[in-house]
Amino acid sequence: MKILIIGSGGREHALAWKLSLSPDVKKIFCAPGNGGIGLIAERVDINSEDVHGLLDFARKNSVDFTVVGPEAPLAAGLTDKFREEGLAVFGPSRAASRLESSKVFAKSLMRKYNIPTADFEIFEDYSRSLSYVREANRPLVIKADGLAAGKGVFVCNTLVEQELALKKIMNDKVFGAAGKQVLIEDKLEGEEASIMFLSDGDNSVALASSQDHKQVFDDDKGPNTGGMGAYSPAPLVDQKLFSEVKHRVIDPTLAGMNAEGTPYKGVIYAGIMVTPQGPKVLEFNVRFGDPEAQVILPRLQTDLARLIIKTEEGRLNEISPEWDDGSCVCVVLASAGYPDSYQKNILVSGLDKLRDRDDVLVFHSGTELKGNAFYTTGGRVMGITGLGKDIRQALEKTYSAVKEVNFEGIHFRRDIGAKALKYS
Ligand code: AMP
Ligand code: GLY
């Protein structure tokens, strides 16, 4: 089987690595990929949102299955076009992807189908939104409606922060059209977890739980990023919580999507806040999380190619994923300045010291290979993933490997997984 993976991050590197272990997979292409992915897949120089270019490539190269990593090609309607042309593809339709590409759509669906989430109001008018926050006088979360690479959410405890967030989105229009509508939500308190399911439209199966670390600095300080590290499983998600999320969030969301005439096929990712009143949805994503994929896929013992094919064929009732009992941790190594502007083209050293270690995996997010060396090209440069018998061991392995890698300005969190230790 020939597979085409679309995307260029750590998640796509993890997908390529896992798919390369499948006995049925003979060839992997990745468009556009990155330096690390190029070691295990043939890179294709086509942008991940160039739907026609990708379709043309898949046809000409007899690709059997296309796997979409990030949200933007899904929102651009890639899977619709591929299916129209009779090509097998993994990921939801454009209409179903609105669960992520429009926070207004997602929140309205949750309101309609009684799915627990923070109370919210929707605004298009800057001055009305300002009056609302001035009146509210409480911590609020302000979100641009559309896709903003994880940066369109502002958790604001004070009125000054709220006014600044509204100014950025609605007046300065830093997210362009993605900020035409704004959500203002009540701020929830609690601990977060990521829960992903695969859905084929009729059946769904659970994937392993995980926890991301969104803020750039230790102790959850600083602005939100795409994710600075993750671990799986998340001990916070015990059987009771898991079943509550399935019954109160995942099942009614999938049923709601069917009722709206936009059945959901692919990974559905619920970002959950566990509050004293029970789990509430912070957001939906329509794809594997990044870096959550980097800690879930190493624990998956079932053939990923089979799982993905069953999803597309509507036969998830025939398979149930199995997981390694151990724990997995990923620490993201980022460029100085990320999530704001950062320098590129900096030499990465030390990776050769990890080459012989079979207990750690390196998933590249933003690198290019030049000669024999990798250079940085992104804010998130790579993630170091370690697998251990428990979270403590996984953390030791991961951080001992992190110490070996270096580049000028390297920045990473030193407290990934700290929240999980209190359960061990
Ligand atoms: P989102 O992209 O909507 O998940 O938001 C990114 C992050 O902002 C979440 O992972 C939370 O840390 C935080 N966040 C979003 N919505 C809320 C909320 N209503 N209350 C508290 N924190 C939130
Ligand atoms: N790590 C969060 C996300 O993938 O959106």
Side-chain angles (χ1 to χ4, degrees):
M1 186 165 47
K2 285 190 196 170
I3 302 235
L4 167 63
I5 298 174
I6 294 173
S8 61
R11 165 186 45 217
E12 287 74 27
H13 195 174
L15 285 166
W17 164 76
K18 194 71 193 178
L19 286 166
S20 75
L21 303 179
S22 168
D24 296 330
V25 174
K26 297 286 177 266
K27 169 93 192 170
I28 303 179
F29 298 104
C30 188
N34 63 40
I37 294 175
L39 301 178
I40 51 171
E42 182 178 327
R43 293 181 64 186
V44 178
D45 190 15
I46 304 177
N47 184 287
S48 59
E49 287 161 62
D50 177 0
V51 174
H52 287 284
L54 292 166
L55 191 62
D56 199 41
F57 177 86
R59 261 207 237 97
K60 286 196 176 126
N61 290 276
S62 314
V63 167
D64 298 292
F65 211 100
T66 299
V67 179
V68 185
E71 60 278 16
L74 297 168
L78 185 142
T79 58
D80 308 63
K81 268 275 169 298
F82 272 57
R83 288 187 184 116
E84 267 166 43
E85 300 285 329
L87 295 181
V89 61
F90 177 77
S93 66
R94 177 187 190 148
S97 307
R98 281 179 303 165
L99 265 189
E100 175 167 359
S101 64
S102 168
K103 288 181 186 291
V104 168
F105 172 83
K107 290 292 275 193
S108 308
L109 187 102
M110 287 187 259
R111 186 171 269 169
K112 182 165 173 188
Y113 293 96
N114 255 325
I115 292 155
T117 189
D119 278 344
F120 67 99
E121 296 288 338
I122 300 165
F123 293 90
E124 270 195 50
D125 184 273
Y126 181 42
S127 64
R128 278 193 51 231
S129 69
L130 283 175
S131 312
Y132 178 83
V133 295
R134 284 173 188 151
E135 184 95 347
N137 193 25
R138 61 176 185 278
L140 292 167
V141 181
I142 296 178
K143 302 184 176 181
D145 170 50
L147 294 180
K151 294 167 196 164
V153 172
F154 299 86
V155 180
C156 307
N157 288 317
T158 64
L159 179 61
V160 174
E161 292 168 330
Q162 293 162 6
E163 289 182 342
L164 196 64
L166 288 171
K167 178 173 175 295
K168 269 192 185 167
I169 306 175
M170 302 191 89
N171 191 62
D172 306 345
K173 299 190 173 39
V174 295
F175 305 113
K180 188 164 177 293
Q181 287 185 300
V182 164
L183 277 168
I184 305 185
E185 299 185 4
D186 282 352
K187 184 183 169 208
L188 300 173
E189 300 293 344
E191 203 176 322
E192 287 182 48
S194 307
I195 298 194
M196 289 178 243
F197 274 67
L198 286 176
S199 162
D200 67 11
D202 293 316
N203 314 286
S204 63
V205 298
L207 300 177
S209 65
S210 57
Q211 192 169 92
D212 187 14
H213 296 66
K214 288 237 162 64
Q215 291 89 351
V216 68
F217 300 126
D218 285 8
D219 297 322
D220 295 338
K221 300 264 165 51
N224 275 343
T225 67
M228 293 297 290
Y231 57 89
S232 172
L236 167 73
V237 186
D238 58 16
Q239 208 44 50
K240 179 171 168 286
L241 179 68
F242 191 84
S243 130
E244 215 176 335
V245 171
K246 174 169 167 43
H247 293 113
R248 296 187 57 203
V249 174
I250 302 291
D251 291 349
T253 301
L254 294 174
M257 293 300 280
N258 266 330
E260 298 294 313
T262 52
Y264 193 94
K265 259 188 181 190
V267 178
I268 176 161
Y269 164 135
I272 299 288
M273 182 76 90
V274 182
T275 75
Q277 294 78 40
K280 296 194 178 184
V281 179
L282 294 169
E283 65 166 340
F284 284 116
N285 292 321
V286 296
R287 46 163 179 90
F288 285 105
D290 183 344
E292 290 90 326
Q294 291 91 305
V295 290
I296 283 179
L297 295 175
R299 293 187 56 226
L300 178 65
Q301 290 184 323
T302 309
D303 182 347
L304 179 62
R306 277 188 63 217
L307 263 179
I308 281 177
I309 291 168
K310 295 266 185 218
T311 305
E312 176 58 8
E313 291 179 346
R315 293 162 60 197
L316 272 179
N317 54 322
E318 295 172 9
I319 195 165
S320 120
E322 310 233 351
W323 304 95
D324 183 289
D325 285 337
S327 285
C328 199
V329 171
C330 173
V331 173
V332 170
L333 310 182
S335 302
Y338 176 75
D340 295 324
S341 58
Y342 48 84
Q343 272 193 323
K344 292 184 188 175
N345 213 10
I346 297 172
L347 176 69
V348 180
S349 63
L351 287 174
D352 47 320
K353 298 197 197 103
L354 304 183
R355 207 162 286 148
D356 296 327
R357 278 185 64 169
D358 54 13
D359 54 350
V360 292
L361 293 156
V362 180
F363 295 125
H364 292 226
S365 318
T367 67
E368 281 299 339
L369 185 61
K370 288 188 204 164
N372 287 326
F374 286 103
Y375 289 79
T376 65
T377 57
R380 292 193 290 180
V381 174
M382 59 186 60
I384 308 290
T385 291
L387 197 60
K389 67 176 174 11
D390 54 24
I391 180 83
R392 210 170 282 280
Q393 196 189 46
L395 277 168
E396 274 163 24
K397 289 183 177 192
T398 309
Y399 276 106
S400 74
V402 164
K403 273 199 279 195
E404 305 287 1
V405 182
N406 204 5
F407 49 87
E408 195 191 311
I410 189 171
H411 166 71
F412 57 90
R413 278 183 62 160
R414 287 159 208 276
D415 66 343
I416 302 298
K419 285 192 193 124
L421 283 175
K422 66 175 187 261
Y423 296 88
S424 63

